[in-house]
Amino acid sequence: MSAFLTMDDVAELTGRRVKTKQIEVLKKMGLPFFINATGKPVVPVAAIEGKKTEQPKKTWEPKK
């Protein structure tokens, strides 16, 4: 079992396939996530299992 949701899981959770839209929805939901090197949101499984996770203090965002 992975420590992070799959990209399909993130798409289902957010209802969005585009990474920027997924990030917007995750922020609105208040779920902790990280941005990986390709700019995709990475959600820890613990974030949806109700376990305490620490939100990163500053998220890196690629230049547009």
Side-chain angles (χ1 to χ4, degrees), residues 3-61:
F4 301 102
L5 297 180
T6 66
M7 289 293 113
D8 286 337
D9 290 338
V10 174
E12 185 174 347
L13 175 67
T14 61
R16 303 285 186 260
R17 288 255 171 226
V18 177
K19 60 188 172 186
T20 55
K21 297 297 181 185
Q22 290 174 340
I23 292 167
E24 287 176 17
V25 172
L26 289 168
K27 285 180 180 178
K28 286 180 184 176
M29 294 173 121
L31 289 174
F33 65 95
F34 306 92
I35 306 294
N36 70 12
T38 63
K40 293 180 181 178
V42 179
V43 181
V45 170
I48 61 165
E49 288 183 337
K51 296 178 183 172
K52 187 174 179 176
T53 60
E54 188 173 314
Q55 177 73 21
K57 291 182 173 50
K58 184 176 181 180
T59 57
W60 174 86
E61 292 191 28

